[in-house]
């Protein structure tokens, strides 16, 4: 009887250990897959960052060449979509990683998105004034966002770069 109890305890213990090991491996595998997925989302978002790394140069050229209002609106709306995609990317990263850097990048891209929305829906005269008033800030953001594209892993983004992008985006004037 005692041997039977010991055997049953040993069997229960072995089964529990096997279940625990399997569960631990499954959890580790899920976390690894989650990290891989989040990195993929970030890398996909870098396409939009590359597209936003010449906003100031583009608007400077459009103003200098006296581009049509329709062309300026076209670019403003295209950039708005890119900024919104990056806003979503960093919002997702923030939700899963709870890292202040991603919250700051989310806020910076929200500021950028708002700027492009205001430019897109302003009248022609106001649109030109907004772009001219913000041209140096836009050029500064070109360089900073270009720096972001050098980092293939979101966890590698330097806090100082993120802070600088946020502070610069706060300079965008929409009034």
């Amino acid at each position: 009887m005692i041997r039977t109890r010991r055997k049953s305890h040993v069997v229960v213990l072995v089964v529990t250990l096997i279940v625990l090991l399997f569960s631990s491996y499954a959890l580790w595998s899920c976390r690894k897959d989650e990290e891989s997925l989040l990195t993929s989302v970030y890398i996909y978002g870098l396409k939009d960052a590359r597209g936003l790394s010449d906003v100031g140069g583009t608007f400077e050229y459009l103003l200098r060449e006296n581009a049509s209002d329709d062309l300026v609106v076209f670019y403003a709306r295209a950039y708005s979509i890119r900024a919104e995609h990056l806003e979503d990317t960093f919002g997702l990263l923030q939700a899963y990683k709870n890292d202040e850097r991603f919250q700051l990048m989310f806020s910076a891209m929200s500021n950028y998105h708002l700027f492009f929305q205001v430019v897109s829906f302003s009248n022609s005269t106001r649109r030109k004034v907004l772009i001219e008033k913000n041209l140096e800030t836009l050029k500064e953001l070109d360089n900073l966002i270009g720096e972001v594209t050098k980092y293939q892993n979101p966890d590698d983004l330097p806090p100082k770069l993120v802070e600088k992008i946020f502070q610069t985006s706060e300079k965008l004037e929409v009034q």
Side-chain angles (χ1 to χ4, degrees):
M1 180 84 107
I2 295 178
R3 283 187 174 184
T4 309
R5 278 189 185 167
R6 281 188 184 170
K7 282 184 182 179
S8 65
H9 287 307
V10 169
V11 169
V12 169
L13 182 60
V14 168
V15 169
T16 303
L17 283 174
I18 290 171
V19 169
L20 183 61
L21 286 172
F22 180 75
S23 297
S24 296
Y25 174 76
L27 180 61
W28 173 81
S29 180
C30 284
R31 287 196 175 144
K32 184 179 168 193
D33 289 346
E34 181 182 271
E35 279 297 315
S36 177
L37 180 62
L38 290 174
T39 300
S40 295
V41 167
Y42 169 77
I43 288 172
Y44 186 75
L46 288 181
K47 291 187 329 185
D48 291 305
R50 282 183 208 92
L52 289 173
S53 64
D54 196 30
V55 172
T58 300
F59 278 132
E60 181 177 49
Y61 176 79
L62 292 172
L63 290 176
R64 184 176 60 239
E65 296 301 317
N66 201 23
S68 72
D69 202 45
D70 288 342
L71 189 58
V72 173
V73 169
F74 171 81
Y75 275 98
R77 288 187 180 158
Y79 289 139
S80 174
I81 291 167
R82 290 186 178 278
E84 185 177 31
H85 287 172
L86 271 178
E87 180 182 355
D88 292 343
T89 297
F90 286 109
L92 180 71
L93 288 168
Q94 168 58 23
Y96 278 92
K97 292 183 173 260
N98 197 25
D99 185 323
E100 183 183 8
R101 292 174 301 167
F102 304 133
Q103 178 60 48
L104 288 175
M105 285 299 291
F106 172 82
S107 297
M109 291 305 105
S110 294
N111 293 339
Y112 219 20
H113 179 232
L114 173 65
F115 172 77
F116 293 127
Q117 286 291 299
V118 171
V119 167
S120 295
F121 294 103
S122 294
N123 66 43
S124 178
T125 306
R126 182 166 183 245
R127 182 176 298 118
K128 184 177 178 183
V129 169
L130 282 171
I131 294 170
E132 287 173 342
K133 187 189 319 185
N134 288 285
L135 198 54
E136 290 309 311
T137 302
L138 292 171
K139 287 180 180 180
E140 190 175 350
L141 283 167
D142 287 353
N143 294 329
L144 294 169
I145 291 175
E147 285 293 310
V148 169
T149 64
K150 295 178 182 177
Y151 299 95
Q152 297 300 302
N153 187 312
D155 294 327
D156 294 340
L157 282 173
K160 287 184 180 184
L161 174 61
V162 170
E163 181 68 33
K164 183 69 174 161
I165 291 170
F166 173 70
Q167 290 172 351
T168 305
S169 76
E170 290 277 289
K171 293 180 194 175
L172 291 169
E173 296 180 43
V174 292
Q175 298 295 326

